[in-house]
Amino acid sequence: MFQNKTIDELLPGMYVDSVLEQSGHLKIKSKGLVGSNDTIKALKSKGVLKLKIDVRKSTIKMPSEPQVKQTPPPPPKPRKEKTIKQPTVKTRVLSSGEQMAAATELYDNAKVIQSRFIKKLQANDSADIKTIEDLGSSVVESVFEMPDALSCLCLLNKSGKYLLEHSLNCSIFLAMFAKFKGLERADIDEFALAGLLMDIGMANMPKEITQSSEPLSELHEQFVITHVDIGLDMVERNGNISETVKDAIFNHHERIDGSGYPDAQRGEDISLVAKMAAIVDSYDAMTTARPHQAAKTPTVALRSLFTDKSYDQGLVQEFVKCLGVHPPGSLVKLDNSQLALVIKSNHASPLEPTVVAFYNSIANHYTETRKIDLAKSEHRIIASVRAEEFGINLPKFFKDVLINSI
């Protein structure tokens, strides 16, 4: 049974089957239960006007479709209408695999949108910032609904398109970080947009710099520093953006000990968004393989942030708590020599996430996939490892096998 509702009639507890009418650039196609008023605000911000509601999957009682009022003939006595009770229906929570599939679709579509935006900027064409604002809002909504799935993709979607994936990953991590810190929804949206735009100036860097397998010369390093000025100029010429986003674009390479650029700011002179963006930017860069460096495991990358006093250590500790000691998407080795992919963090017990075991590291062969909640298992993680050590193409195996088996 379905009912059509306008966006102003939408309530938490209703299950959206589809969007019937929408303005704006980013089309919303996914189904799902409306969990809060924040979700409704996000849908409004994306231009959603009318929706198709599945009454059976909704968790609130819904009135019947309104009937056209008619003037009844003068009755001797008014009759009472019978009240029809809607049956209570248990909604089905998306499985881990379904969340992974939905997050993958969002991630792939987001890369297409970001790619078009960057190409317009590179060609000096007019690029609509609104499309990126809509994308940032979609990222935030998915962070609220499926953070573990998105964290997995940030580590596993490494196709070599560094600028595209790095900007999207920074957007996801900044939104997760801001949400973890309890910031307001409007602030989280701004942080997500900042992640998408803060390295946009790198789009105009020569390939001999961005794809160099050798350490950069001093001249090239000075040229790279200009990407913050270039990026700020590029976005300001294509729309109005908040001071928060501008701050992140210009200052995400500042460090609290004064060793950063462009202005060698120190300590409290650096804003919260710039400090958080610095951590997120460095973490994603360290966990990504590039021509001049091998990727670090997430655990090693987080440890590097811990030992580097140029970052705000209070914020680094919060970021680790946000992601987990072994973030979703990490490849780990268990005490039974099985390799497993972390798919769900455990904030109550960070060393005991939920994993999917799929490879025997002694026999060097794939095994039947097995989902294990380590908080309820006798097995433990003994190491964080790199897929390359075992000849595993983890991104391909994740998409081809693990998503369907989780």
Side-chain angles (χ1 to χ4, degrees):
M1 180 179 178
F2 298 95
Q3 291 184 12
N4 295 340
K5 297 289 183 182
T6 66
I7 189 64
D8 292 326
E9 295 173 322
L10 189 63
L11 296 171
M14 292 183 180
Y15 187 95
V16 176
D17 179 79
S18 60
V19 174
L20 300 177
E21 293 181 20
Q22 182 191 353
S23 61
H25 298 279
L26 192 63
K27 298 302 178 185
I28 308 303
K29 298 179 181 179
S30 60
K31 303 179 181 182
L33 187 71
V34 177
S36 66
N37 286 319
D38 282 336
T39 301
I40 297 172
K41 290 178 183 177
L43 290 172
K44 284 184 178 180
S45 72
K46 297 169 190 172
V48 173
L49 302 174
K50 193 172 183 181
L51 311 100
K52 185 178 181 181
I53 305 301
D54 190 329
V55 175
R56 294 168 300 175
K57 293 184 179 180
S58 297
T59 59
I60 62 172
K61 291 183 178 180
M62 296 179 59
S64 303
E65 291 284 10
Q67 303 295 320
V68 178
K69 292 184 178 181
Q70 297 181 352
T71 305
K77 290 182 180 180
R79 293 191 302 171
K80 292 184 178 180
E81 293 287 337
K82 291 183 179 180
T83 302
I84 301 175
K85 293 184 178 181
Q86 293 285 352
T88 302
V89 179
K90 292 183 179 180
T91 59
R92 183 176 65 83
V93 178
L94 289 179
S95 68
S96 297
E98 289 170 325
Q99 288 190 22
M100 293 292 182
T104 299
E105 182 180 4
L106 168 75
Y107 196 99
D108 290 344
N109 290 339
K111 284 201 293 185
V112 172
I113 294 170
Q114 184 79 334
S115 176
R116 290 171 180 168
F117 179 77
I118 290 174
K119 286 178 180 177
K120 285 187 176 182
L121 291 179
Q122 289 173 324
N124 290 320
D125 289 341
S126 177
D128 188 2
I129 290 289
K130 183 65 167 58
T131 61
I132 304 303
E133 290 175 343
D134 289 345
L135 176 56
S137 183
S138 290
V139 166
V140 172
E141 194 62 31
S142 295
V143 162
F144 274 83
E145 295 173 356
M146 52 187 84
D148 292 312
L150 287 177
S151 181
C152 271
L153 292 177
C154 288
L155 289 173
L156 296 175
N157 264 2
K158 307 291 189 180
S159 66
K161 298 178 180 178
Y162 178 71
L163 180 58
L164 283 178
E165 291 164 350
H166 179 64
S167 61
L168 185 53
N169 293 349
C170 286
S171 178
I172 291 169
F173 285 136
L174 269 176
M176 291 174 64
F177 200 177
K179 177 178 178 292
F180 180 82
K181 285 184 64 62
L183 301 186
E184 296 293 332
R185 173 58 193 262
D187 295 324
I188 300 174
D189 282 346
E190 285 196 330
F191 277 48
L193 180 59
L196 288 169
L197 294 175
M198 67 187 191
D199 263 334
I200 206 72
M202 292 298 294
N204 279 3
M205 290 288 123
K207 288 185 178 181
E208 58 264 29
I209 291 179
T210 59
Q211 298 180 12
S212 174
S213 58
E214 301 294 332
L216 296 180
S217 66
E218 184 177 349
L219 177 61
H220 282 170
E221 285 182 350
Q222 291 301 315
F223 197 54
V224 168
I225 287 175
T226 65
H227 83 273
V228 297
D229 301 270
I230 294 170
L232 187 58
D233 180 64
M234 289 168 76
V235 296
E236 284 184 327
R237 284 189 283 108
N238 286 277
N240 295 320
I241 57 172
S242 70
E243 292 302 316
T244 296
V245 177
K246 292 179 184 179
D247 188 352
I249 293 172
F250 196 68
N251 294 313
H252 67 279
H253 284 285
E254 294 288 2
R255 300 291 184 263
I256 64 172
D257 63 354
S259 63
Y261 64 83
D263 296 323
Q265 297 180 48
R266 288 178 173 271
E268 295 306 312
D269 292 335
I270 307 172
S271 68
L272 176 65
V273 68
K275 290 177 182 177
M276 290 170 63
I279 292 169
V280 163
D281 177 62
S282 298
Y283 171 75
D284 186 67
M286 284 190 282
T287 55
T288 303
R290 288 184 282 167
H292 65 282
Q293 69 171 36
K296 294 180 179 179
T297 67
T299 303
V300 170
L302 292 173
R303 191 180 300 124
S304 296
L305 291 172
F306 254 126
T307 57
D308 190 336
K309 303 306 179 184
S310 68
Y311 300 95
D312 185 309
Q313 288 301 303
L315 288 175
V316 169
Q317 291 180 32
E318 288 187 273
F319 185 59
V320 174
K321 290 178 182 177
C322 171
L323 293 187
V325 176
H326 300 287
S330 301
L331 183 64
V332 296
K333 186 177 181 180
L334 305 181
D335 55 10
N336 62 354
S337 299
Q338 283 271 296
L339 299 188
L341 182 75
V342 178
I343 62 167
K344 184 175 177 60
S345 56
N346 182 349
H347 292 300
S349 184
L351 295 176
E352 299 177 316
T354 298
V355 303
V356 174
F358 66 94
Y359 193 89
N360 187 307
S361 65
I362 295 179
N364 291 321
H365 66 71
Y366 292 96
T367 62
E368 182 179 355
T369 57
R370 186 161 65 99
K371 186 176 177 181
I372 307 171
D373 182 349
L374 292 178
K376 301 175 181 178
S377 169
E378 72 278 10
H379 295 302
R380 294 292 175 263
I381 294 173
I382 61 172
S384 177
V385 296
R386 296 172 60 243
E388 294 81 1
E389 298 172 30
F390 303 90
I392 298 173
N393 185 337
L394 192 56
K396 186 177 188 303
F397 184 70
F398 172 73
K399 283 190 174 183
D400 294 347
V401 180
L402 283 182
I403 286 181
N404 295 323
S405 66
I406 294 174

